[in-house]
Amino acid sequence: MKVFAETDRLILREILLSDKDGMYELDNDPLVHKYLGNQPVSSITQTEEAIAFIRKQYIDNGTGRLAVIKKDTAEFIGWAGLKLVRGSYNNHTNYYEVGYRFIQRFWGKGYATEAAQASLDYGFDGLKLHEIYAMADTGNTASKIVLEKIGLRYIEKFDLDGDEHDWFKITREEWENRKL
Ligand SMILES: CC(C)(COP(=O)(O)OP(=O)(O)OC[C@H]1O[C@@H](n2cnc3c(N)ncnc32)[C@H](O)[C@@H]1OP(=O)(O)O)[C@@H](O)C(=O)NCCC(=O)NCCS
């Protein structure tokens, strides 16, 4: 089992099929999906397929979304990490995006910020990326706060399937300057 990053309170490791109960709790929650433009899952089979899809990205791209494990209890609390986006969003293709999604009872404790920062550090330090992007529904205040706290810059608004979204970016130089 590959561990990609560790923080004070969290471990970011590859997502395993054994995470399916936690992943199902996450993706079955309508509130979690409020700003994601998709529907909550309604069967464990859909969750198993989602895990298989993520695990294929590790093989194809060397990285992907990672399970976030709370160190003190060993619980799966959600996922965070980088995804190589092959499709086109806001006129960008083949770029790395930072993202995260947490089980509702773990919101508001700073875990998203901590895991997102570790994901960014892995991208610049481990993968030697030059820039990392992110997007969030304009109404998704919590997510936008997380992105700005870890140093991403708001660039512009764009339309995604009829919903207004905010586009964010951080360059390697900006990331390095934050460490000084
Ligand atoms: C987005 C998400 C990961 C944030 O998780 P979280 O646990 O609340 O994140 P954190 O605790 O690290 O920080 C969130 C910040 O937003 C603030 N915040 C949360 N909800 C807010 C709201 N409705 N209005 C204003 N601020 C809000 C928090 O106070 C916190 O800021 P602070 O640290 O300065 O107090 C979580 O809400 C989630 O999983 N949502 C569903 C999936 C999703 O939307 N993912 C992002 C897609 S772009």
Side-chain angles (χ1 to χ4, degrees):
M1 181 191 54
K2 182 167 178 188
V3 172
F4 286 77
E6 189 172 340
T7 67
D8 287 350
R9 298 181 295 170
L10 307 170
I11 288 173
L12 276 68
R13 61 147 170 81
E14 64 180 296
I15 293 183
L16 304 168
L17 191 57
S18 51
D19 295 317
K20 65 182 175 185
D21 291 342
M23 280 287 275
Y24 183 76
E25 181 180 355
L26 177 68
D27 278 331
N28 178 245
D29 182 346
L31 203 57
V32 165
H33 285 260
K34 182 172 179 190
Y35 296 112
L36 303 185
N38 57 17
Q39 294 299 315
V41 300
S42 52
S43 79
I44 200 84
T45 309
Q46 284 173 283
T47 299
E48 288 168 357
E49 286 166 3
I51 292 174
F53 180 75
I54 291 169
R55 290 189 58 79
K56 186 168 184 304
Q57 291 174 13
Y58 302 151
I59 297 165
D60 293 347
N61 307 330
T63 193
R65 307 306 198 191
L66 303 170
V68 180
I69 309 298
K70 206 160 153 296
K71 275 188 194 172
D72 58 351
T73 59
E75 283 166 289
F76 171 95
I77 65 168
W79 59 249
L82 302 170
K83 179 179 179 181
L84 176 58
V85 180
R86 305 274 192 188
S88 177
Y89 293 91
N90 196 25
N91 302 315
H92 289 66
T93 48
N94 293 322
Y95 63 90
Y96 282 89
E97 172 204 71
V98 62
Y100 33 76
R101 192 180 296 179
F102 287 85
I103 294 172
Q104 207 187 124
R105 60 198 157 88
F106 297 107
W107 290 3
K109 297 177 171 62
Y111 294 135
T113 305
E114 197 169 317
Q117 182 67 62
S119 303
L120 217 55
D121 294 347
Y122 177 74
F124 287 122
D125 232 354
L127 299 177
K128 308 290 179 209
L129 300 180
H130 296 294
E131 57 211 5
I132 294 174
Y133 294 88
M135 61 182 185
D137 186 295
T138 299
N140 196 348
T141 307
S143 182
K144 295 195 307 181
I145 289 177
V146 170
L147 292 175
E148 284 177 346
K149 277 169 97 166
I150 64 168
L152 276 91
R153 241 173 339 109
Y154 166 77
I155 305 292
E156 61 198 354
K157 296 201 184 303
F158 71 104
D159 179 86
L160 181 61
D161 302 329
D163 286 325
E164 188 178 72
H165 277 64
D166 289 7
W167 184 255
F168 293 84
K169 177 181 182 179
I170 184 169
T171 63
R172 177 176 196 83
E173 193 183 357
E174 287 165 338
W175 172 78
E176 277 169 352
N177 287 339
R178 280 171 61 85
K179 291 196 296 184
L180 298 176

